Amino acid sequence: MPISSISNNSIPFRSKLLSDQCDGLTTNFNTPPFQRGTLVVFWNGIAQSNNEITILSASSFQTSFVPTSEDTLFITFIKL
């Protein structure tokens, strides 16, 4: 999936659809490299809190839930 860009006050926000990684088994997801503290994860359109998301590295995170292939997983972030 392509990465989209949104510019706001010269800060390059990016977004990416990760639904192709959802299979009903996976809880660890790979992302493009992002700046610490900028990742926002949306599961079926609802922003997830820090209780549901654990950052594993600058290019991966883990969820406390298991998205199925029917779910939508979308992220926004500032590129590293």
Side-chain angles (χ1 to χ4, degrees), residues 15-62:
S15 61
K16 182 163 177 62
L17 185 63
L18 300 180
S19 297
D20 60 336
Q21 296 182 45
C22 299
D23 59 10
L25 301 170
T26 302
T27 58
N28 291 1
F29 297 91
N30 296 313
T31 68
F34 58 88
Q35 289 184 22
R36 182 183 173 114
T38 67
L39 182 71
V40 180
V41 177
F42 296 87
W43 181 31
N44 294 327
I46 300 171
Q48 302 301 294
S49 73
N50 290 339
N51 294 330
E52 287 87 29
I53 304 299
T54 302
I55 304 300
L56 301 174
S57 72
S59 60
S60 66
F61 66 93
Q62 181 177 55

